[in-house]
Every structure is written in C-alpha cells, then in structure tokens.
Amino acid sequence: MSTNYQQHQRRLYPTRIDLPTDTRLQVVELLNQTLAATTDLKTQVKQAHWNVKGTDFFQLHELFDEIATEVEGYIDLFAERITALGGYAVGTTRAAAQFSILPEYPYDINSGEDHVAALADRLAIYGKHLREAIDKTGEVNDADTNDMYVEVSRTIDMRLWFLEAHLQPTGRLTEQDGAAIKQPVAVK
C-alpha cells in the first residue's frame, strides 16, 4: 500500500460517536477496502453494460445498468460511513484500481453469457468480502456498520442469483446435465 493511503487509514477526525478509537480505526480500514472494491465493481458492471452483445442484449444491458446503479449507491453509503466514524474516505478511481480485491475485467469478451459469467464471478468474490466484513464488524461491536454490510450483502446475493439464473440450463436437469454445468471461478 502506498504511504499516502496508509497515513489516511490512521487519521481520525473528532466525533461524538461513542465507539472506541481502535474500533473506529479498524472499521474505517475495512470500509476503505470495501470502498475500493465497490468502486471497482461498479465500473466493471458498467464495462459489461456498455459492451454486451447478442440476442439477450437488451435485457442484459438493462440488468447490468440496474446492478451498476445499486452498486453506485453503496459507494456513497460506505464513504459516508467512513466519514461518520471520523475517518477519511479514500475513494478515487486510482485507489480503487490499486486496492480492489476483484480481478481485472476481461476486455476480450462481448457475448451476453461471457459477461454474465464474468460478473457472477466478481459478485461472488465481493459477496464473500461482505460476509467477512459482517463477521469483523460483529467482532468489534459496531452494530451499525454490521447492519449496513448485512443489507448490502443481501442485495448482492440476490443480484448474483439473477446472474446465475442466466447461466443455468432450462428444463429438467439430469445428473449428467449437472456434471456438464460450467463451475464458477473459485472464490479465495
């Protein structure tokens, strides 16, 4: 991490919020990690939105835009929670590119199915990060930030379900069909 980024992680402004300083520092660092990933996720969803092609173009174009709009709202939600805790929100595109947990989006795809699969992989990684943040904010007794993470996690899981539904075959599945379904990228 850059020194400038690290120095802002340890900077707190005075606040009357009654959470201990150490708790606020831990949560602000976690929220800034989430802010980077959320900013990156939003731009990756827009990448798919702009470049999707194929017979499902319109419905996927619209779905991707809905997801991007929701994720954009989370950017503000996380940044404002950081500042409410007395922290410094590090929300530039450069910070997102440097500190995001998400893999780079593939630029060589354009089919609807490929975009859906790429976004599903990223939402799964992001959802795992949110659940880890739920655990961490629970451990440090920040119920408000915990509740915020739970709310976002629920919506991300729903959106992942929407994307995965596009990747599943229609009709009745046999055992052989199940073995042939492409498995998602492993979530680290």
Side-chain angles (χ1 to χ4, degrees):
M1 280 189 192
S2 73
T3 305
N4 190 31
Y5 182 82
Q6 288 174 328
Q7 114 186 19
H8 290 300
Q9 292 298 307
R10 306 300 302 169
R11 179 169 105 185
L12 290 178
Y13 295 99
T15 179
R16 289 177 178 81
I17 289 180
D18 63 342
L19 292 171
T21 299
D22 187 56
T23 297
R24 291 188 298 122
L25 284 168
Q26 289 178 58
V27 172
V28 164
E29 183 175 359
L30 179 62
L31 284 164
N32 267 314
Q33 291 169 354
T34 305
L35 181 58
T38 308
T39 301
D40 189 20
L41 180 61
K42 188 248 180 178
T43 62
Q44 291 195 33
V45 175
K46 287 304 276 191
Q47 180 72 20
H49 166 78
W50 296 321
N51 291 291
V52 67
K53 306 283 187 263
T55 57
D56 293 331
F57 162 79
F58 186 76
Q59 75 179 41
L60 292 177
H61 183 76
E62 291 293 312
L63 175 61
F64 298 163
D65 202 37
E66 286 176 23
I67 295 171
T69 299
E70 283 175 348
V71 172
E72 184 172 15
Y74 301 147
I75 292 168
D76 207 40
L77 186 70
F78 291 123
E80 287 179 355
R81 182 64 182 162
I82 291 166
T83 58
L85 292 172
Y88 187 84
V90 182
T92 66
T93 303
R94 289 175 192 231
Q98 187 173 0
F99 302 112
S100 176
I101 58 167
L102 302 177
E104 182 62 67
Y105 198 80
Y107 298 116
D108 61 345
I109 61 175
N110 64 16
S111 79
E113 185 175 349
D114 289 344
H115 281 294
V116 169
L119 291 178
D121 289 345
R122 281 144 185 83
L123 261 64
I125 293 166
Y126 184 73
K128 181 177 189 266
H129 167 78
L130 295 173
R131 278 181 284 286
E132 290 169 350
I134 290 167
D135 291 343
K136 178 71 174 177
T137 53
E139 289 169 11
V140 298
N141 297 315
D142 181 353
D144 294 329
T145 305
N146 181 275
D147 184 56
M148 186 178 68
Y149 274 116
V150 168
E151 174 189 337
V152 174
S153 175
R154 232 185 331 262
T155 304
I156 292 300
D157 284 352
M158 181 186 66
R159 289 307 190 169
L160 178 57
W161 167 51
F162 286 7
L163 292 172
E164 287 179 333
H166 284 276
L167 299 174
Q168 295 171 356
T170 58
R172 292 187 86 118
L173 286 179
T174 67
E175 198 170 311
Q176 287 177 319
D177 292 331
I181 295 173
K182 192 191 300 185
Q183 293 300 307
V185 171
V187 179
K188 295 177 185 175

